[in-house]
């Protein structure tokens, strides 16, 4: 009985929407007919799985899947490394509280607001007028040519990832800093007395002890990056080769509900392994206590 309110909330806001999403992923754009009705004669058709054919073979979706993989490979380790570096450095200065507040401040900004801010930072004036974007104005002052940070497909994904690191580094720093402060000081001091330099103290003593926390932060960031949407939507709209899965789902939500729901199911499937890993790790930690 004590669990009834929680179970009711889960049923209304999680379980029912999930099953309805799966159901709609097998329907056409209006939701009234089977997805097989949207097959075009003479073209490949997966029948009732037609929306999943789009999600797995359409060129825009392949670009989105590639970009999400790129975000996972580059941004997740990047933001965790930057957060860990900030945590270590901030722990050694007298103005630790002020430094951490400044680094954490971007988390207080909405992702939409951050996207608008960084659009101005990356802005390029192509009409021959003065550059008013911070980076391009600086480049021109230094004698370089302005760079199309958001429309050049060779660098625009990296420019967007930099915004993600700027936003999430404070979160990673806060969690990792708490883990570092919880380390037993006598163990660290004993390693220094035994002759270990700071490099060895970190990698051989501190890092193994905070590794479980690093895993938690990493898995959290993996889920966040899989759902990445706001930054891409505001800064490029998914154009110039920057499309991601969540943005493609949003773009289709009104015009083709079936395909949008198929992409949503694909996103859920991609997050399930991370959730299973987290549950197994939590159970292993509980069993070890």
């Amino acid at each position: 009985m004590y669990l009834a309110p929680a179970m009711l909330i889960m049923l209304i806001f999680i379980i029912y929407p999930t099953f309805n999403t799966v159901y709609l992923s097998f329907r056409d754009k209006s939701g009234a007919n089977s997805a097989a009705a949207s097959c075009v004669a003479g073209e490949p058709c997966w029948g009732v799985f037609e929306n999943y054919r789009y999600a797995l073979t359409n060129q825009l979706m392949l670009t989105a899947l590639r970009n999400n993989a790129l975000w996972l490979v580059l941004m997740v380790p990047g933001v965790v490394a930057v957060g860990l570096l900030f945590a270590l450095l901030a722990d050694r200065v007298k103005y630790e509280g002020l430094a951490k507040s400044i680094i954490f401040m971007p988390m207080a900004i909405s992702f939409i607001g951050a996207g608008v801010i960084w659009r101005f930072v990356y802005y390029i004036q192509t009409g021959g007028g003065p550059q008013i974007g911070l980076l391009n104005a600086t480049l021109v002052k230094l004698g370089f040519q302005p760079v199309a940070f958001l429309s050049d497909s060779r660098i625009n994904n990296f420019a967007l990832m930099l915004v993600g690191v700027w936003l999430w580094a404070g979160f990673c720093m806060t969690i990792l800093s708490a883990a570092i402060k919880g380390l037993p000081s006598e163990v660290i001091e004993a390693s220094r007395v035994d002759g270990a330099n700071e490099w060895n103290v970190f990698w051989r003593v501190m890092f193994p002890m905070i590794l479980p926390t690093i895993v938690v932060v990493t898995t959290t960031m993996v889920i966040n990056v899989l759902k990445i949407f706001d930054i891409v939507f505001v800064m490029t709209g998914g154009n110039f080769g920057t499309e991601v899965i969540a943005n493609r789902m949003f773009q289709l939500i009104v015009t083709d509900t079936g395909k949008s729901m198929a992409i949503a199911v694909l996103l859920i499937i991609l997050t399930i392994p991370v959730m299973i890993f987290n549950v197994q790790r939590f159970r292993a930690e509980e069993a070890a206590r």
Side-chain angles (χ1 to χ4, degrees):
M1 287 300 293
Y2 293 111
L3 292 176
M7 296 297 292
L8 182 62
I9 292 173
M10 286 185 61
L11 180 66
I12 295 174
F13 293 104
I14 298 178
I15 297 175
Y16 170 71
T18 301
F19 278 98
N20 194 48
T21 299
V22 174
Y23 169 74
L24 289 174
S25 71
F26 294 107
R27 311 299 290 178
D28 67 355
K29 63 174 65 178
S30 66
N33 305 302
S34 167
S38 59
C39 289
V40 179
E43 296 185 5
C45 177
W46 288 9
V48 72
F49 294 98
E50 178 63 9
N51 292 327
Y52 289 91
R53 185 180 71 82
Y54 172 86
L56 295 174
T57 64
N58 179 268
Q59 189 56 48
L60 278 174
M61 277 304 299
L62 292 178
T63 301
L65 290 167
R66 183 205 65 187
N67 287 339
N68 269 84
L70 195 64
W71 279 75
L72 285 174
V73 171
L74 295 181
M75 183 188 154
V76 172
V79 71
V80 173
V82 171
L84 181 57
L85 179 64
F86 283 156
L88 289 169
L89 295 178
D91 195 44
R92 295 167 180 259
V93 296
K94 293 180 180 178
Y95 45 91
E96 177 185 353
L98 176 62
K100 287 183 175 177
S101 298
I102 294 173
I103 296 167
F104 190 79
M105 196 175 295
M107 283 296 296
I109 304 172
S110 74
F111 279 29
I112 297 293
V116 173
I117 291 171
W118 278 87
R119 276 191 67 174
F120 283 115
V121 173
Y122 288 141
Y123 183 80
I124 180 171
Q125 175 57 262
T126 57
Q131 296 295 333
I132 60 172
L134 177 62
L135 287 180
N136 277 320
T138 304
L139 289 173
V140 171
K141 286 285 185 185
L142 295 174
F144 296 100
Q145 292 295 317
V147 177
F149 290 100
L150 297 180
S151 57
D152 187 337
S153 60
R154 294 170 300 179
I155 60 172
N156 51 11
N157 279 301
F158 304 112
L160 296 178
M161 289 177 205
L162 179 62
V163 180
V165 172
W166 180 75
L167 278 166
W168 284 103
F171 165 79
C172 297
M173 175 203 68
T174 303
I175 305 298
L176 294 171
S177 178
I180 291 171
K181 287 188 177 300
L183 296 178
S185 58
E186 60 272 18
V187 175
I188 297 173
E189 290 302 323
S191 62
R192 287 172 178 152
V193 170
D194 287 342
N197 56 31
E198 292 302 313
W199 179 263
N200 286 328
V201 168
F202 173 72
W203 286 108
R204 296 178 182 273
V205 180
M206 297 174 67
F207 188 81
M209 288 194 286
I210 64 172
L211 186 57
T213 307
I214 292 176
V215 173
V216 171
V217 173
T218 301
T219 53
T220 303
M221 289 310 306
V222 166
I223 294 174
N224 287 331
V225 166
L226 281 173
K227 298 184 300 179
I228 195 74
F229 164 72
D230 318 63
I231 297 172
V232 175
F233 177 72
V234 172
M235 298 185 69
T236 65
N239 298 311
F240 315 114
T242 60
E243 188 64 286
V244 289
I245 298 173
N247 189 62
R248 189 93 290 266
M249 177 184 70
F250 178 79
Q251 298 289 353
L252 293 170
I253 190 69
V254 175
T255 58
D256 197 324
T257 305
K259 289 176 181 173
S260 179
M261 294 302 101
I263 297 171
V265 172
L266 176 63
L267 199 54
I268 293 172
I269 292 172
L270 290 175
T271 58
I272 286 176
V274 184
M275 295 169 64
I276 293 174
F277 174 78
N278 261 342
V279 171
Q280 289 179 337
R281 183 191 51 78
F282 177 75
R283 287 178 176 172
E285 287 183 0
E286 288 296 307
R289 290 182 179 178

